[in-house]
Amino acid sequence: MDFPIFHLDWLNNRMLIAIIAIIHVMINHGLAVGFMPLITWLEQKGVKNSGREQITNLDWDNRIYNMMKVAFIITTTLGAMTGVGIWFSVALVSPTSIGSLIRVFYWAWFIEWLVFVTEVILIMIYFLTWKSSNTSLKAKLLHIRFGWFLSLFSWITMAIIVSILSFMMDPGNWNTHKSLLNGFTNPIYLPQLLFRTPTAMLVAGSFGMMLVTLFFKKGTDLRLKAVKYVSKWIILWAPISLLGAVIYYRAIPEAMTANMSTAVGTMDFNKYYDLMKYFIIFGISSSLIMAVLGLYKAKCIKSYMVLFPVIMAFGYLGFFERVREFVRKPYVIGGYMYSNLLLEEDYPVYQQYGLLKNATYTTVTEITPENKVEAGRNVFAIACSRCHTTQGVNSVVDVFERMYGIGKPLDINSMASYIPNMHNGRTYMPPFPGTQEESEALAAYIRNIQDTGDVLEGAQSEGVEVSELQNTQSVLENKK
């Protein structure tokens, strides 16, 4: 209500955030939180398995270094860009929610920023001093210690952010007693952390196995050792990941699990929801089977055999991240702020006096027969455009056509009657925040875009217009 509305009609605003966030999480978890301790452990194995006159096994060390180089390049490029991209996209699409989260988690985010800066410094030191650390045993052991510190700080960064992500799903008693401690210790925090930690290790193990097949020569003893070490890593973390997934799922509020089929795919894919369960099974079992084979038949592990488990492991993590992004509907912050960025406690005011009269950026405040479609356009922009488009992904026209008949002219009266009650049948949608008159205007607008094919342009394309009731002159006159 207090920010101009950025809108991508071809993609869907929330989809923009989800795509960037999912990519970032897969990189952050798989190649930072999980991969750094794996690499450090493998580097340490090189020292332990070296000869008496050696600091480390240099052949082994060079190949582990090459594995680290891949992770370093990806995390400092695509990982860094998607990390910034999350902030950029959320600030554009969902400024009210990110503003609320910053107010609650200000000090937690400040600490996370300090930890993150330390993590960046450590990864630079760890990677850039790798070669020079081989000059003495003391230097090598110090380098390995940097690796363990890097692993710890990577995990702490995730542990702090997870509290915010789980808070958005279920704030717990924060809605009653608003404090950072209550927000941080929300009911889903520990279950989600228990899932993310071993899953990051599992994904890192699968990815590490692929790199082993690429950087270690076939048939060599070094390759056999590397395959067995990584196999043990996967076998350790896979069952913990599965246990964490079960605990995490059971901690999700029942109202959210009821939305699971829609969160997994969309309304078009909810009939395939049962197949998604097998995706979880394949994600863990394929990596586990590969690990067991690698432990007992290391010579059999080939690059092409590892590709499927790697894809499934990343897909398993990405699947859960997509669910987290969407399952909290109809809220963006559970029990506090709806997905349209309107506060639940403000709804009585909007429904009694009107959404448009309380909006900052709107071209219409009073609805007339002449401006009904324009008024409906403003209502759609404020109440619907965070999740729906006019002609693109999750088009509001497509939604109503599936209900009333594809290709048939939509009935304005039927839609106007349905809109105020839609949340009763579609629990993942917030209640309509406006008056009955605004519902009729919205229905008229939806019918209009069905007939004309017009699209909604965001503030980034057409600029903004401040409501005549919210400009400076009006505010000053009301105070007199």
Side-chain angles (χ1 to χ4, degrees):
M1 294 286 281
D2 295 328
F3 294 91
I5 297 173
F6 176 89
H7 183 67
L8 295 177
D9 202 71
W10 57 276
L11 179 62
N12 179 302
N13 293 351
R14 292 187 64 180
M15 187 67 73
L16 173 66
I17 299 175
I19 291 172
I20 297 173
I22 290 170
I23 294 173
H24 179 73
V25 164
M26 288 193 292
I27 294 172
N28 174 268
H29 287 25
L31 301 184
V33 176
F35 199 73
M36 295 308 161
L38 173 61
I39 284 292
T40 304
W41 181 60
L42 292 175
E43 182 190 12
Q44 190 169 290
K45 288 294 182 182
V47 175
K48 289 184 176 181
N49 296 331
S50 62
R52 290 186 177 182
E53 303 300 323
Q54 293 179 306
I55 296 171
T56 185
N57 185 321
L58 290 178
D59 193 8
W60 172 276
D61 194 72
N62 286 332
R63 298 179 193 282
I64 301 302
Y65 168 78
N66 288 332
M67 292 171 62
M68 176 60 195
K69 183 187 293 185
V70 173
F72 178 80
I73 292 172
I74 296 175
T75 54
T76 54
T77 53
L78 186 58
M81 288 189 294
T82 51
V84 174
I86 291 175
W87 280 101
F88 186 71
S89 60
V90 170
L92 286 175
V93 173
S94 192
T96 307
S97 65
I98 197 65
S100 296
L101 291 172
I102 289 173
R103 291 186 185 96
V104 177
F105 290 94
Y106 178 84
W107 288 111
W109 241 318
F110 177 74
I111 294 171
E112 187 274 335
W113 183 80
L114 295 178
V115 174
F116 173 73
V117 170
T118 305
E119 179 190 354
V120 172
I121 294 172
L122 286 172
I123 195 172
M124 297 295 288
I125 293 174
Y126 185 62
F127 177 72
L128 297 177
T129 63
W130 190 299
K131 296 293 186 179
S132 61
S133 70
N134 291 331
T135 55
S136 69
L137 181 59
K138 182 179 179 180
K140 190 61 175 176
L141 294 178
L142 179 61
H143 184 263
I144 292 172
R145 191 176 301 169
F146 271 113
W148 287 120
F149 278 123
L150 169 60
S151 303
L152 177 62
F153 276 80
S154 295
W155 182 84
I156 292 174
T157 298
M158 182 190 72
I160 295 174
I161 295 300
V162 166
S163 71
I164 300 170
L165 299 179
S166 54
F167 171 84
M168 295 173 72
M169 298 176 69
D170 185 0
N173 64 354
W174 177 85
N175 281 316
T176 304
H177 304 286
K178 293 180 171 61
S179 69
L180 170 60
L181 181 61
N182 285 336
F184 200 95
T185 58
N186 58 80
I188 304 183
Y189 174 53
L190 290 180
Q192 189 172 157
L193 188 62
L194 179 60
F195 162 74
R196 287 180 182 271
T197 300
T199 302
M201 305 299 172
L202 173 65
V203 173
S206 298
F207 185 72
M209 185 70 83
M210 184 181 72
L211 294 183
V212 165
T213 63
L214 295 176
F215 292 124
F216 284 78
K217 293 181 180 180
K218 296 179 181 179
T220 61
D221 289 339
L222 285 182
R223 175 162 172 154
L224 296 180
K225 284 183 180 180
V227 168
K228 288 183 178 181
Y229 283 141
V230 177
S231 295
K232 290 178 181 179
W233 179 275
I234 294 173
I235 291 171
L236 170 65
W237 291 108
I240 304 176
S241 175
L242 180 59
L243 177 63
V246 173
I247 294 174
Y248 177 25
Y249 180 86
R250 290 182 176 177
I252 297 175
E254 186 177 350
M256 292 186 182
T257 57
N259 294 338
M260 194 68 74
S261 60
T262 308
V264 170
T266 65
M267 287 299 292
D268 296 326
F269 295 101
N270 60 3
K271 60 184 177 181
Y272 302 114
Y273 171 54
D274 288 339
L275 295 177
M276 295 293 182
K277 298 177 182 178
Y278 297 106
F279 199 88
I280 301 174
I281 297 173
F282 284 133
I284 296 177
S285 62
S286 61
S287 294
L288 195 56
I289 292 170
M290 173 187 65
V292 172
L293 184 63
L295 189 62
Y296 294 101
K297 297 287 184 180
K299 291 182 179 180
C300 297
I301 299 295
K302 311 294 181 185
S303 297
Y304 70 87
M305 297 170 58
V306 181
L307 186 59
F308 178 75
V310 169
I311 293 174
M312 294 304 297
F314 275 100
Y316 164 55
L317 176 60
F319 158 73
F320 262 88
E321 188 61 17
R322 175 177 169 82
V323 168
R324 186 200 63 77
E325 282 285 334
F326 285 84
V327 77
R328 63 181 182 266
K329 290 182 178 180
Y331 295 101
V332 67
I333 301 176
Y336 176 71
M337 182 182 293
Y338 284 117
S339 53
N340 54 22
L341 306 187
L342 301 179
L343 298 181
E344 184 178 50
E345 65 182 14
D346 291 341
Y347 257 59
V349 175
Y350 301 144
Q351 291 174 330
Q352 180 176 356
Y353 299 105
L355 188 64
L356 297 179
K357 288 183 179 180
N358 291 280
T360 302
Y361 298 98
T362 178
T363 59
V364 175
T365 55
E366 293 287 344
I367 301 175
T368 66
E370 292 75 21
N371 69 12
K372 179 172 283 191
V373 171
E374 177 65 15
R377 179 180 177 278
N378 282 271
V379 172
F380 178 84
I382 297 168
C384 312
S385 66
R386 311 293 179 178
C387 302
H388 290 281
T389 65
T390 57
Q391 310 294 339
V393 175
N394 202 23
S395 162
V396 69
V397 173
D398 291 345
V399 171
F400 278 104
E401 284 187 343
R402 283 196 295 267
M403 294 173 57
Y404 296 117
I406 297 176
K408 297 180 180 179
L410 295 174
D411 184 74
I412 294 177
N413 293 329
S414 297
M415 287 191 294
S417 299
Y418 173 75
I419 288 171
N421 303 295
M422 61 188 175
H423 62 285
N424 294 322
R426 297 173 176 241
T427 56
Y428 48 84
M429 293 187 67
F432 180 66
T435 63
Q436 182 60 40
E437 189 179 20
E438 288 173 335
S439 172
E440 294 169 1
L442 176 58
Y445 173 67
I446 295 172
R447 171 58 190 273
N448 178 263
I449 59 178
Q450 182 195 37
D451 293 338
T452 63
D454 286 345
V455 299
L456 178 69
E457 299 288 350
Q460 76 277 13
S461 299
E462 63 177 17
V464 297
E465 183 171 334
V466 179
S467 166
E468 61 184 23
L469 300 179
Q470 302 292 330
N471 60 35
T472 304
Q473 183 177 352
S474 297
V475 172
L476 291 175
E477 288 178 354
N478 290 333
K479 286 186 176 182
K480 291 180 180 180

